[in-house]
Amino acid sequence: MSKRLALIALLALAACSTVDKRALTNFSSSGSGFTYTSQYGQLFLKDDKQAETQRLTWLAQYVADNHLCPNGYKIVSRTADETNATAGTLIYKGVCT
């Protein structure tokens, strides 16, 4: 039984590592603020800690790669626009500090 659970956990981790950020995310800026969106679904859940860590890593990479917010940034809101019970879009609003 524990081997089966270990296999399921391993497959879940592998699924998260193959998620394509370009297909799932969008970034737009206006003045000192920005909106970052990320799609979620059954393999990349809305409230999963690993998935959230990955989404925030993608955001940090985008900000750094594009030389935005040189003094850092703060996420001021995170809301979900649900398509159905297991899928939708997370909307992050942020400001440069």
Side-chain angles (χ1 to χ4, degrees), residues 18-41:
T18 62
V19 174
D20 181 8
K21 73 177 176 181
R22 288 168 288 176
L24 294 179
T25 64
N26 187 38
F27 185 94
S28 61
S29 62
S30 60
S32 65
F34 63 84
T35 301
Y36 170 69
T37 62
S38 181
Q39 305 299 314
Y40 66 89

Side-chain angles (χ1 to χ4, degrees), residues 13-66:
L13 287 174
C16 284
S17 68
T18 62
V19 174
D20 181 8
K21 73 177 176 181
R22 288 168 288 176
L24 294 179
T25 64
N26 187 38
F27 185 94
S28 61
S29 62
S30 60
S32 65
F34 63 84
T35 301
Y36 170 69
T37 62
S38 181
Q39 305 299 314
Y40 66 89
Q42 290 181 334
L43 294 178
F44 209 57
L45 298 173
K46 173 177 72 172
D47 294 318
D48 179 77
K49 285 186 179 188
Q50 288 180 324
E52 184 69 4
T53 297
Q54 185 63 64
R55 286 187 283 266
L56 295 178
T57 297
W58 290 340
L59 172 59
Q61 287 173 340
Y62 185 87
V63 169
D65 290 349
N66 290 283

